Amino acid sequence: MTSKEQLIEQHIREYESRMKHIDELYERAHQAAANLDTKDGVQARLNELAAQRALLQETTDSIKTMPLDKWREATVRNAGPMAVWDILAQKLEDFVERHE
């Protein structure tokens, strides 16, 4: 395996780790919402967060299957999903803090 391939594998492992964190936060948010007496807008917010998570998963999956020669170009052009993960994680953390 070349150093380029190793670097890509490292990035993919990091992406997968962040997806796991997002999934854990989403589960906490879902549990917190289930414990609420009122659910005004809460389910809609959870659905919005779930849609963002699904889009992030699609991006991650496409990056994982991308040919090596296209990988750098695509991740640089899209700035990779890192910023999206950070924003989604913050939204989920805020949701959990408000509803737990």
Side-chain angles (χ1 to χ4, degrees):
M1 187 179 294
T2 68
S3 61
K4 182 178 180 180
E5 290 169 335
Q6 290 171 331
L7 183 59
I8 290 170
E9 287 293 322
Q10 178 183 346
H11 282 288
I12 289 172
R13 283 191 303 275
E14 185 175 346
Y15 294 170
E16 289 170 342
S17 174
R18 286 179 178 244
M19 282 303 301
K20 182 179 177 187
H21 179 66
I22 293 292
D23 289 341
E24 290 166 355
L25 285 171
Y26 181 78
E27 182 61 33
R28 284 183 60 199
H30 189 70
Q31 289 173 356
N35 296 330
L36 293 176
D37 290 333
T38 64
K39 299 197 188 305
D40 298 334
V42 171
Q43 191 58 48
R45 182 68 177 139
L46 275 177
N47 291 342
E48 178 185 318
L49 293 169
Q52 291 176 12
R53 186 250 175 245
L55 182 60
L56 190 55
Q57 182 67 56
E58 287 177 23
T59 302
T60 302
D61 291 344
S62 71
I63 288 171
K64 288 183 346 185
T65 60
M66 193 174 291
L68 292 178
D69 58 334
K70 304 259 185 211
W71 195 86
R72 180 177 163 89
E73 175 187 330
T75 56
V76 169
R77 182 183 62 235
N78 295 325
M82 294 301 187
V84 177
W85 269 310
D86 292 340
I87 292 167
L88 181 53
Q90 185 62 52
K91 288 178 182 179
L92 284 164
E93 288 168 358
D94 291 346
F95 183 94
V96 169
E97 286 177 16
R98 279 192 311 257
H99 296 88
E100 269 190 331

